[in-house]
Amino acid sequence: MPPRKRPQDGKKVDPPMKKAKEKHVVALILARGGSKGIPLKNIKKLAGVPLIGWVLRAAHDSGLFDSVWVSTDHDEIAEVAKSFKAKVHRRSLEVSKDSSTSLEAIQEFVKDHPGVDVVCNIQATSPCLHPDHLSEALKLITKDGYDSVFSVVRRHQFRWKEVNEGGSEVTVPLNLDPKNRPRRQDWDGELVENGSFYFSTTSLIKKGILQGGKMTYYEMKPQYSVDIDIDIDWPVAEQRVLRYGYFGKVPPEVVRLMFCKLSGCLTDGRIAISSSEEEMVSFHIRDMEGLRMLKSENVEVVLLNCSQDPIGQSLVEKLRERTGCEVLTVGKKPLEDLQPFLKKKKLEWKDVAYMGNDGADADCLNQSGLSAVPGDAPADAVKAAKYSCHHTAGNGAVREFSEYILLKKQEAKSKREQVRVDCLDSGYATPSSGSQNDIPLAVEEK
């Protein structure tokens, strides 16, 4: 098949169709619990988010699917899937073996859901997937009449024939002439599957085929083509996803205020008592600098002194003077104590970042636009937070979350600017000059 021109990732695209009326389209993510390379890889935190959460977020925000499903045999994976608003298909033991294929699991899903017309099998290990990738690919089926569409990436790699060690056979080039080695800029490279997603009609799936009939590909840029197979990939993928991952629809503001618990976040939770019975706590200089960074970017910082584990008033006064931050005292249920404060400030929880360290903070962690816990926080707090720091309490966790907040603000600013430019280029009203409804969905979601 001759190469087809594809819109480049990140470029302005036509407004996508919502759900195609004549076809019932679903997204399906396969997430078996028995990963051999990395145990429970699909729900391991990547840049503070369960790995599977990145693709579930992109699938939901695309607005393309009648439903989004996770096929799994594991209770913990099922719970994470539900927390990202996905439906759960409990796969059978027959398709949950190490020897089971993806096609077998997809066929089982199709058999159990006979009303589905098109399935998009999204790989949980592709955290840099964006909604517009899915939108452009689905158009090829709903508008152009293809039966299957799969994602590819362009590679510039010379391949050689493998030979047996110690044998008499010599290797030969498979895709180049060694006498005329092309420069990278003079060679188009080759298209290879990147495994990010596979769209296919159920009629093909029932025949035991994912790629068949009238088929084509969707080309993704290399920076969005991330696949995690082994543990050594994790640090590389984390850096890539922080730069190229999809972080959700652009809100009007990211964070205007940050609440940060004193004990267990800004401190390590320990209180030393001197011989003269004076209480002492220590603060990491990196964390203090993190607070200053936020304030310099017009993010108000409010420190929370928990009445259940309080820091003495004299220390609070010194800390207020040192940081220039307001200090509030909260009780067993911080959410109830902070609601009046936000109402007075005319803020909503979506405008707030919250850093807590215990189960009592779960409600605030859940409701905040951004939330985090230190790396040594208990499981009930980690589950409620949107980001889990690598650094521990009192040892750089606040600085890490501060940098994360500023990164999100910068991304939102860049995306809003791109929305403005794209709207001007396309003739649509900009957010500042007209109704949000005048902006095409594809532009909003970039």
Side-chain angles (χ1 to χ4, degrees), residues 242-354:
L242 284 172
R243 185 169 184 182
Y244 298 110
Y246 174 69
F247 291 89
K249 295 179 181 179
V250 183
E253 292 289 342
V254 176
V255 168
R256 296 170 60 187
L257 181 148
M258 175 188 176
F259 290 124
C260 178
K261 291 282 286 290
L262 280 174
S263 183
C265 289
L266 192 60
T267 79
D268 60 8
R270 292 180 291 185
I271 298 178
I273 302 178
S274 69
S275 58
S276 59
E277 297 188 355
E278 288 184 326
E279 292 184 347
M280 294 179 291
V281 294
S282 62
F283 306 97
H284 203 294
I285 190 65
R286 288 204 302 263
D287 291 330
M288 304 297 278
E289 179 59 26
L291 298 181
R292 284 192 285 269
M293 290 164 57
L294 289 175
K295 294 177 67 177
S296 70
E297 293 295 327
N298 298 316
V299 177
E300 182 180 357
V301 178
V302 177
L303 303 176
L304 305 179
N305 190 21
C306 182
S307 62
Q308 307 304 307
D309 185 22
I311 292 178
Q313 188 60 35
S314 61
L315 289 176
V316 167
E317 291 300 329
K318 290 179 182 179
L319 185 59
R320 182 184 288 117
E321 181 181 344
R322 182 73 177 268
T323 63
C325 298
E326 184 173 357
V327 181
L328 295 180
T329 299
V330 295
K332 291 182 179 180
K333 297 182 178 180
L335 183 68
E336 295 179 0
D337 295 321
L338 297 176
Q339 289 282 27
F341 182 86
L342 290 181
K343 185 176 181 180
K344 182 179 179 180
K345 292 279 186 179
K346 297 182 179 180
L347 295 176
E348 299 179 20
W349 278 101
K350 66 180 179 61
D351 305 314
V352 173
Y354 188 95

Side-chain angles (χ1 to χ4, degrees), residues 153-173:
V153 65
R154 192 173 297 274
R155 299 294 188 200
H156 292 77
Q157 296 171 330
F158 296 129
R159 295 181 291 108
W160 292 77
K161 181 180 179 182
E162 183 178 357
V163 297
N164 294 326
E165 185 177 353
S168 59
E169 187 181 11
V170 297
T171 188
V172 294

Side-chain angles (χ1 to χ4, degrees), residues 125-138:
T125 54
S126 301
C128 288
L129 180 70
H130 282 240
D132 59 317
H133 299 149
L134 299 169
S135 175
E136 286 299 308
L138 182 56

Side-chain angles (χ1 to χ4, degrees), residues 215-230:
M215 59 180 170
T216 189
Y217 57 81
Y218 175 82
E219 183 179 350
M220 293 172 65
K221 281 187 174 181
Q223 59 263 39
Y224 299 100
S225 184
V226 178
D227 184 37
I228 302 174
D229 286 323
I230 55 177

Side-chain angles (χ1 to χ4, degrees), residues 47-58:
V49 176
L51 178 59
I52 196 173
W54 291 100
V55 296
L56 286 173
R57 180 189 289 160

